[in-house]
Amino acid sequence: MEHPLLWPTDANVGTIHYPPGSHFGPRYQPCLQLVFLHTGRMTVWIDNVAHQAEANTVFLLFPGHQERFAFAESEETHHSWLHLDVPELSPELHTRLLALPRPLPLTPLMQQLIHTALTLQPARLSTTSELLQSLGTQMLWLYIGEGELHVQHNLAPTHATIEQARVYVYEHLHEPLTLEQVAQAVSISPSYLIRLFQAQLQTTPMAYLWQLRVTHGISLLQQTGLSVQAIADQYGFQTRHHFSRRVRQELGYGPQEVRRRSWLR
């Protein structure tokens, strides 16, 4: 089957901090829009039907609908947005988007993409428009992929604190991290953070941290010429043997075989 084309004719991003108790609308949505909620919360009425979104979630809005927004009463709400003008969204893609739960967790990868787009927006490059269109396309495909993963595995919406912890871990992956530091960053006790991770991700915060380090380390083995020792040092492994052992546990073979399979094809 031919893959559906998705390329926006225009893309733009922005970010805003709403004071407590702010409202916006009513308005008619002109395009596809992803709303990235960083702090606070929002209620959005779409054709008079209320939807809720908490911090660290992403919410998709479709064109042609009336909307009005109310933001958190007791705290500031910070959100970013991506507008995508896709005049010929295929019926297949429209159906796939409609089938996804709203909101979805704002994952570290999605956070990284919207941050890149916001940084790029003011750049005076001849290709800024094309770069934003490309990043917007990536974000929409990522949204579809993450949403369909939730549907496929019947995942419950991830607790906002877990997403905050995952973002913190991702942003400090190269630094020495303890459970206490991660828990303090999201303002809960270490024991409660462990319970949240076990309940929703079937792992612990520190096991998640080391899994992420192993995954990134394997990527560096495949994509760079850094020595095994340098990669181990970069991601906080105690020794190169510690890193090699974790790679072998993950893949069934060690770093040198990773490189042989990646480089000698």
Side-chain angles (χ1 to χ4, degrees):
M1 182 176 64
E2 185 177 346
H3 205 279
L5 178 66
L6 172 58
W7 186 257
T9 57
D10 189 38
N12 68 81
V13 294
T15 191
I16 189 170
H17 295 257
Y18 276 109
S22 295
H23 293 79
F24 175 53
R27 65 140 186 216
Y28 279 93
Q29 178 61 247
C31 58
L32 278 175
Q33 179 178 353
L34 289 175
V35 179
F36 307 88
L37 206 63
H38 306 294
T39 64
R41 67 187 61 86
M42 76 174 185
T43 302
V44 53
W45 287 266
I46 304 173
D47 298 330
N48 296 317
V49 178
H51 302 264
Q52 308 288 333
E54 301 291 327
N56 293 299
T57 60
V58 55
F59 197 96
L60 177 65
L61 299 170
F62 289 89
H65 297 273
Q66 187 185 66
E67 301 163 351
R68 57 187 178 91
F69 300 80
F71 299 99
E73 291 287 340
S74 59
E75 60 181 316
E76 179 182 82
T77 298
H78 172 209
H79 80 76
S80 305
W81 68 82
L82 164 71
H83 290 165
L84 285 177
D85 188 358
V86 186
E88 296 184 11
L89 186 65
S90 72
E92 178 194 340
L93 280 178
H94 190 256
T95 300
R96 289 173 72 178
L97 288 167
L98 284 174
L100 303 179
R102 292 187 295 180
L104 288 174
L106 181 51
T107 62
L109 181 53
M110 189 70 87
Q111 285 263 41
Q112 183 180 3
L113 288 176
I114 185 60
H115 176 74
T116 300
L118 288 167
T119 303
L120 180 65
Q121 175 99 319
R124 295 184 176 181
L125 301 175
S126 62
T127 54
T128 295
S129 177
E130 288 81 4
L131 286 166
L132 286 173
Q133 288 170 293
S134 176
L135 280 169
T137 302
Q138 291 177 56
M139 280 186 267
L140 194 58
W141 279 119
L142 179 60
Y143 179 89
I144 292 170
E146 291 178 343
E148 290 180 342
L149 185 66
H150 274 253
V151 172
Q152 178 184 352
H153 294 284
N154 196 28
L155 298 176
T158 310
H159 195 289
T161 302
I162 291 181
E163 289 308 314
Q164 292 174 349
R166 290 171 69 181
V167 169
Y168 182 82
V169 166
Y170 180 83
E171 291 177 344
H172 297 81
L173 201 58
H174 297 275
E175 305 170 17
L177 276 182
T178 65
L179 174 63
E180 289 70 23
Q181 285 175 304
V182 179
Q184 184 178 17
V186 296
S187 303
I188 62 173
S189 70
S191 60
Y192 183 44
L193 184 62
I194 290 173
R195 290 199 297 273
L196 285 177
F197 266 73
Q198 288 176 330
Q200 295 207 333
L201 300 180
Q202 291 74 55
T203 189
T204 67
M206 299 313 288
Y208 175 81
L209 164 67
W210 284 106
Q211 180 61 51
L212 206 56
R213 285 174 167 167
V214 171
T215 300
H216 281 252
I218 290 171
S219 178
L220 288 186
L221 286 170
Q222 295 170 331
Q223 305 296 334
T224 77
L226 290 175
S227 69
V228 175
Q229 182 66 62
I231 296 172
D233 292 342
Q234 198 170 121
Y235 283 107
F237 292 91
Q238 296 173 352
T239 65
R240 67 186 300 272
H241 300 292
H242 179 207
F243 174 55
S244 298
R245 184 172 69 252
R246 290 298 301 261
V247 171
R248 191 173 296 277
Q249 289 172 350
E250 180 72 15
L251 300 177
Y253 47 86
Q256 299 307 323
E257 181 65 11
V258 172
R259 285 205 152 141
R260 190 189 71 79
R261 295 188 182 199
S262 298
W263 292 8
L264 303 177
R265 292 182 179 178

